[in-house]
Amino acid sequence: MSQYFQVHPQNPQARLIKQAAQIIHGGGVVAVPTDSCYALVCHLDDKGAVERLRRIRGIDEKHHLALLCRDLSEIGVYARVDNRQFRLLKLGTPGPFTFILEATRVVPRRLSHPSRKTIGLRVPETPIVEALMRELEQPLLSSTLILPGEDEPLNDPELINERIGKQLDLVIDGGACSMEMTTVVDLTGDEPALVRVGRGDPATLGL
């Protein structure tokens, strides 16, 4: 049965964060607010939860999911990062940027792009998500909460609960957040490539 938690956006209640982490650890798919827009998140290593998340979003395995990491050092566990890439990552983290990088062997094969072996990673600047990752002691797998056939993400937690609450295990109401998605930057080529311009200002990265 789906649950609905009202969590303070700046000072998340430890009790609710602990319960939310237990739901995720148990295979739950959860709607959370981020520093761009609402996202669906689940446990990195739970194949069933990842498949459910993709079904809710209406996306296949070729669609990049993003790994939400706690800091730059954690990104280095899941992606190969050279000095040039590290400098750009440092400029854009934490913040509303998703970086596409070559995945390391630590990343389960089903999570990386099937032909390119790449993965999207980011460090969100959101107390609720930061607290969840600290409680879980690992990253979260995520995807922007856009429903199949729609162009804009859902932003109102009550509307999220009304429309897809029955498909989720938990909706975290941290208030309304931005309607803008992250800015996506591909760092796998010789030069950084802007894939999507969103909330993150490319000028921050010198692009």
Side-chain angles (χ1 to χ4, degrees), residues 44 64-83 85-86 89 93 98-108 111-113 116-123 139 185-188:
L44 168 65
H64 267 113
L65 298 175
L67 202 58
L68 305 183
C69 296
R70 287 174 283 183
D71 51 35
L72 277 175
S73 62
E74 197 161 65
I75 284 182
V77 173
Y78 296 92
R80 292 184 173 85
V81 180
D82 62 24
N83 289 337
Q85 294 165 333
F86 182 81
L89 289 170
T93 58
T98 299
F99 297 97
I100 297 173
L101 291 156
E102 183 183 352
T104 64
R105 291 183 179 180
V106 173
V107 177
L111 303 184
S112 60
H113 190 283
R116 297 178 61 207
K117 302 297 181 283
T118 54
I119 189 165
L121 300 105
R122 84 182 196 93
V123 179
V185 183
D186 189 337
L187 297 181
T188 60

Side-chain angles (χ1 to χ4, degrees), residues 31-34 36-40 56-57 143-148 150-165 167-168 171 175-181:
V32 299
T34 77
S36 55
C37 47
Y38 269 80
L40 295 178
I56 294 166
R57 281 279 281 107
S143 182
T144 303
L145 211 174
I146 302 177
L147 296 184
E150 299 188 9
D151 298 321
E152 292 190 336
L154 293 179
N155 184 47
D156 181 341
E158 292 184 3
L159 182 61
I160 292 169
N161 194 46
E162 182 183 311
R163 293 192 62 184
I164 61 167
Q167 299 177 63
L168 304 175
V171 174
C177 51
S178 170
M179 290 290 286
E180 287 186 278
M181 294 182 277

